[in-house]
Amino acid sequence: MSGDTGKGPHRSRAREEDECSPSLIECEEGESCRVVSLPEESECARKLLPLAILPGSEICLVEKPAFGAVMVERDGDRIALSRRLACDIAVEQI
Amino acid sequence: MIQESRGVTVALAGNPNVGKSTLFHHLTGIGVNISNYPGTTVEIATGEMEFDGRPVEVRDLPGVYSLGAVSEDEAVARRALLDDVDVVLNVVDASNLERNLYLTLQLLELGIPTVVALNQYDRAEKQGDRIDPELLAERLGVPVLPTVASQGENLKEALDAALRAADRGEAPAGTLDLGGELAGAIERLEDAVERELEEPPLGLPPYAVATNLLEGDEEVERLVTEDPGGEEVLRTAEEVAEFIEEHQGEKASYWLARELHGLASHVARDVTRHEERRRTFSDRLSRWTTQTATGIPILAGVFLGLLGLLFYGGGFIEELLVGNWETHVQPVLRGFFESVAPHPAVAEVLDIGINLGMQGILATMFPYILVFFLAMAVLEDSGYLPRMAYVLDSAMHRIGLHGKAAVPMLGGFGCNVPAIMATRSLDTRRQRFISSSLITMVPCSARTAVILGTVGAFVGISPALAVYGIILLLIFAVGAVLNRWLTGESSGMVMEMPPLRTPRPKPVLSKTWNRMKDFLYVAVPLLIAGSFAIGVLDASGALDRLVGPLSPVTLGLMGLPPLVIVPLLYGVIRKEGALVLLVAIAGTSDLGAFMSPLQLFVFALVVSIYIPCIATFAVLRRELGTRSALGISASTIAIAVLVGAAAYRVNPLGLAA
């Protein structure tokens, strides 16, 4: 219960950082990162919001197989994300 | 609020995999009614019971993470909540309190009396979390009862608290206090909703309508648009959303979610004393099921185990049923038909219609489907299926699907009909089309019976497995082709991994029985009617007239005895019927004497692939339309003839011709 729902300043910068932020898929397996922005397509975002994955959230890429979906952990929850979606989530290192 | 005659309606609401269904089955027992919510494919289970001498209806809503209607599940959960519910029993996973409270906070805004069941309390303690239920009750403003649904602990007390809350009829005070300066903006929208709308959408309170509009909830938006005063409300909503975006630098929907999560996190931290988290065996097992190195062997093991259970478990029940039917019931029925029928042809029609019809049902459908449904219910309850979907995601992407589609496809091994219905959980029509097409080729239990009854019994178990192998390769190849042909993207997958747990007998049996029941009521009459139709065609000689004209295909292309066209046609009605009729035209149950091993191999392949059975066709037509259903059927016939001809000519296993 870290409550990292991100009240920090990063969220207002989200849009500008979009261009140069690495995507979640570029993280190493086991690496933690902070979400900078979610893909524009709102449907995916709406699936992620109730799971507390939103700009500012801290997540850890726990499994990154050679192909297919990846697994992230957020506050003890393990959530599978399709690879495409992981490519579209911009993150920053912490 | 409560009418004496109607009793009390309790709705169970909560996230997926929080033990909601276990709690439900503990309260209501096995005799529950699972039906689709009107106009949807989403299942809602209801159970009626008596508690302290009062009639109580318990409604188990689909598990959802939020009340925003993104998926059909969520829309149904919201509708069913607002549909004459006296009290909400919100089942919360104590081992994951913060995330669960997100939904709780939304529920508290609905204006319905609410009680929280702090479930899996034991699990939370094992994890090192100590939650203070009284403090939580104080913070939420509603009664909170710690429960352990899997042990039946404290459930009666929770229900009792819910009924008392229903009697009081007090809506929760509402704990949301969002955003200081922005509260005024939301209030403005709330006022507009209250003032302008003739009828609140879905009966939602104004505050909920306001937040739903800001979240961009399509259903609420649509309903507001239809309202005479909707225009003004939508305009205000737009202004408020813009105002929030300006102030917060992010979309209103993000901001709302963040505020709600922040509040949930705040409450959760206040009421929890966190001790060091201990890693349980279930955690480790959970990791093994998804990591590539261990996950794939585990998946293979589960799959082979399932097939083995189907072969041996189903086979055992089949022998038991068919043996008794043949020796005790069949001769009696046949004698009866002969004695009452005015003409031998009528006796024959009756004999085929009822005797062979029932034998087919007992021989294949019943035992194999029962075993399969049971195994699927165990897998579902254990929490393994999402892990399977995750591991298979990469393979599924090659055929234009994502991992989630693996679950209905696995279901296809039991019966294609419910499997195709289950593809509704997929997001796009493209995915539904591809997965439905492929499911029609998945060897269902009826086809398993044909494969085992021909190749398995008279050629050997490895050639029977080879038939499966060829079919699976074909499914993959067809999927890859469809993926190339059809334009469009597969949408993103977001899927939480539930904790693994030991399956509980009650929910497993209840689920199995309910599916079996639906299947028997729908399929059995259709199958008996089909048997009668074939009986009439057979007795009138119409079937035999097809044998000659089609022999270039059967004998010429695939090397099969021309007479097999009769069982092949029958297989359109019922796949396993192809086996029953093959025995009938062979005049002996020793098929090895009638056909060569290669012919049996080709026959099993063709029966498995060509044309979905009538029930599958009907559901395909309903889900995808007549043109798609006909197209899929025609394609499978073409593929079956091609594969049959190729197998006959190439003879990959070197079987005796």
Side-chain angles (χ1 to χ4, degrees):
Chain A
M1 288 180 210
S2 53
D4 48 68
T5 37
K7 283 240 173 197
H10 42 262
R11 65 176 185 221
S12 43
R13 298 202 314 260
R15 196 51 50 77
E16 301 94 82
E17 278 184 355
D18 223 10
E19 302 297 316
C20 47
S21 290
S23 79
L24 175 61
I25 201 73
E26 288 165 66
C27 291
E28 299 288 322
E29 197 170 88
E31 197 181 333
S32 289
C33 55
R34 185 173 290 129
V35 176
V36 172
S37 73
L38 298 179
E40 276 301 302
E41 196 224 322
S42 64
E43 197 184 310
C44 282
R46 273 155 62 180
K47 285 187 207 162
L48 292 169
L49 293 185
L51 296 170
I53 298 182
L54 62 168
S57 306
E58 228 175 77
I59 57 178
C60 175
L61 182 67
V62 285
E63 276 173 37
K64 183 168 114 176
F67 312 98
V70 300
M71 188 80 77
V72 297
E73 198 170 281
R74 195 212 161 277
D75 207 15
D77 292 345
R78 287 159 73 80
I79 298 150
L81 303 177
S82 59
R83 212 171 181 86
R84 164 74 46 83
L85 188 52
C87 292
D88 290 343
I89 296 177
V91 297
E92 63 186 7
Q93 283 182 320
I94 32 178
Chain B
M1 199 166 202
I2 290 129
Q3 294 153 18
E4 283 301 314
S5 56
R6 190 163 58 86
V8 187
T9 302
V10 182
L12 296 183
N15 284 189
N17 309 303
V18 294
K20 202 163 54 66
S21 293
T22 313
L23 191 144
F24 173 75
H25 288 295
H26 254 288
L27 287 179
T28 56
I30 284 178
V32 297
N33 176 29
I34 300 180
S35 59
N36 289 352
Y37 194 75
T40 69
T41 51
V42 179
E43 284 179 344
I44 294 233
T46 48
E48 276 169 33
M49 55 183 296
E50 207 144 287
F51 193 81
D52 273 352
R54 328 168 48 178
V56 177
E57 184 194 309
V58 186
R59 226 180 257 177
D60 188 16
L61 307 184
V64 294
Y65 296 111
S66 95
L67 282 183
V70 186
S71 66
E72 202 180 8
D73 275 4
E74 286 169 2
V76 167
R78 188 165 65 185
R79 275 176 182 275
L81 260 177
L82 296 164
D83 179 9
D84 265 340
V85 165
D86 296 305
V87 59
V88 178
L89 183 55
N90 174 212
V91 186
V92 162
D93 179 1
S95 66
N96 197 343
L97 186 60
E98 182 182 333
R99 226 250 345 266
N100 277 255
L101 284 179
Y102 185 81
L103 178 70
T104 306
L105 294 173
Q106 289 184 327
L107 286 171
L108 293 181
E109 296 302 328
L110 290 181
I112 309 170
T114 302
V115 169
V116 169
L118 191 59
N119 196 36
Q120 307 193 5
Y121 195 70
D122 54 336
R123 210 189 149 83
E125 291 201 335
K126 238 183 247 168
Q127 274 183 11
D129 287 337
R130 289 197 172 273
I131 301 168
D132 183 343
E134 277 163 34
L135 195 55
L136 182 61
E138 199 178 292
R139 295 299 308 266
L140 295 177
V142 296
V144 173
L145 283 103
T147 56
V148 184
S150 54
Q151 313 291 333
E153 220 171 88
N154 233 7
L155 302 186
K156 290 262 180 298
E157 288 78 357
L159 185 62
D160 188 48
L163 295 185
R164 272 185 283 129
D167 286 342
R168 286 195 303 274
E170 276 169 25
T175 46
L176 289 195
D177 181 18
L178 291 183
E181 52 188 311
L182 296 177
I186 297 182
E187 228 164 78
R188 208 185 120 210
L189 180 54
E190 214 181 318
D191 287 344
V193 168
E194 210 161 4
R195 199 176 53 237
E196 304 290 338
L197 292 188
E198 253 173 36
E199 213 179 307
L202 303 165
L204 285 166
Y207 182 85
V209 177
T211 49
N212 278 323
L213 285 175
L214 293 175
E215 281 161 358
D217 187 302
E218 277 155 30
E219 193 184 19
V220 171
E221 236 169 59
R222 185 172 49 76
L223 290 168
V224 169
T225 315
E226 284 164 12
D227 195 283
E231 216 174 298
E232 173 67 29
V233 172
L234 289 180
R235 208 180 42 240
T236 314
E238 228 165 88
E239 282 168 20
V240 170
E242 265 168 40
F243 178 78
I244 292 174
E245 216 166 320
E246 240 165 66
H247 268 251
Q248 296 304 121
E250 66 179 338
K251 280 190 200 162
S253 59
Y254 286 17
W255 173 73
L256 274 170
R258 186 188 309 285
E259 287 289 325
L260 210 52
H261 277 301
L263 192 57
S265 156
H266 193 65
V267 173
R269 256 178 306 166
D270 277 359
V271 302
T272 308
R273 211 174 72 223
H274 211 49
E275 283 157 20
E276 201 183 327
R277 184 180 152 72
R278 274 158 274 170
R279 195 150 274 192
T280 58
F281 175 71
S282 157
D283 283 340
R284 250 174 298 153
L285 188 62
S286 169
R287 256 138 244 234
W288 291 338
T289 56
T290 53
Q291 280 160 357
T292 313
T294 43
I296 291 173
I298 290 175
L299 176 70
V302 168
F303 193 72
L304 285 178
L306 194 62
L307 280 186
L309 194 68
L310 216 53
F311 287 3
Y312 297 110
F316 174 76
I317 301 177
E318 179 194 339
E319 265 174 42
L320 209 72
L321 290 176
V322 173
N324 282 312
W325 177 265
E326 275 179 339
T327 49
H328 300 302
V329 187
Q330 207 159 44
V332 180
L333 272 179
R334 189 165 290 153
F336 174 72
F337 294 147
E338 275 163 8
S339 67
V340 295
H343 191 275
V346 179
E348 200 189 326
V349 170
L350 283 173
D351 192 46
I352 292 181
I354 293 177
N355 244 341
L356 276 186
M358 276 311 292
Q359 187 179 348
I361 290 165
L362 291 176
T364 54
M365 209 182 81
F366 190 75
Y368 291 102
I369 289 184
L370 176 71
V371 169
F372 188 83
F373 280 172
L374 196 62
M376 275 303 273
V378 166
L379 283 180
E380 263 173 47
D381 204 55
S382 70
Y384 178 70
L385 289 180
R387 293 167 163 80
M388 176 190 86
Y390 171 73
V391 172
L392 281 173
D393 186 68
S394 152
M396 300 297 284
H397 264 281
R398 308 275 154 105
I399 54 177
L401 299 171
H402 55 55
K404 257 186 190 171
V407 177
M409 286 186 69
L410 181 70
F413 280 91
C415 174
N416 290 179
V417 174
I420 290 172
M421 293 200 275
T423 59
R424 285 221 182 157
S425 65
L426 305 176
D427 301 313
T428 63
R429 184 184 149 85
R430 178 182 192 266
Q431 289 185 352
R432 285 195 290 271
F433 182 84
I434 295 180
S435 53
S436 300
S437 309
L438 299 183
I439 285 170
T440 64
M441 294 167 67
V442 172
C444 61
S445 48
R447 281 173 260 188
T448 293
V450 176
I451 296 170
L452 293 183
T454 53
V455 181
F458 299 102
V459 187
I461 196 76
S462 354
L465 285 176
V467 173
Y468 274 97
I470 292 173
I471 294 169
L472 290 181
L473 279 178
L474 260 177
I475 290 173
F476 203 76
V478 171
V481 169
L482 285 178
N483 188 25
R484 282 271 164 97
W485 274 358
L486 297 172
T487 49
E489 286 281 313
S490 51
S491 80
M493 170 181 72
V494 177
M495 191 171 52
E496 195 207 2
M497 298 291 122
L500 284 177
R501 60 175 173 219
T502 318
R504 308 281 159 190
K506 262 191 190 168
V508 166
L509 289 179
S510 164
K511 221 175 251 177
T512 308
W513 166 239
N514 269 291
R515 284 182 190 158
M516 203 66 208
K517 197 172 67 180
D518 283 354
F519 197 82
L520 290 176
Y521 291 166
V522 176
V524 169
L526 185 72
L527 299 186
I528 295 283
S531 300
F532 269 110
I534 286 284
V536 170
L537 286 177
D538 190 35
S540 65
L543 274 184
D544 296 331
R545 280 199 287 280
L546 288 166
V547 174
L550 286 171
S551 71
V553 180
T554 45
L555 181 66
L557 268 176
M558 302 186 287
L560 294 172
L563 263 181
V564 300
I565 198 68
V566 177
L568 283 182
L569 285 176
Y570 189 81
V572 176
I573 295 174
R574 287 170 32 193
K575 289 278 179 170
E576 76 278 14
L579 176 61
V580 180
L581 273 243
L582 185 64
V583 172
I585 61 160
T588 166
S589 58
D590 181 15
L591 292 173
F594 176 68
M595 286 160 85
S596 71
L598 180 59
Q599 283 177 323
L600 287 170
F601 185 74
V602 171
F603 179 79
L605 264 179
V606 171
V607 169
S608 300
I609 302 165
Y610 85 113
I611 209 161
C613 71
I614 251 178
T616 309
F617 181 84
V619 71
L620 265 183
R621 193 170 152 247
R622 203 182 68 198
E623 299 292 316
L624 300 173
T626 310
R627 252 184 59 194
S628 298
L630 284 175
I632 291 170
S633 306
S635 313
T636 58
I637 295 178
I639 294 170
V641 172
L642 278 176
V643 170
Y648 169 57
R649 268 151 231 282
V650 178
N651 191 2
L653 301 178
L655 299 170

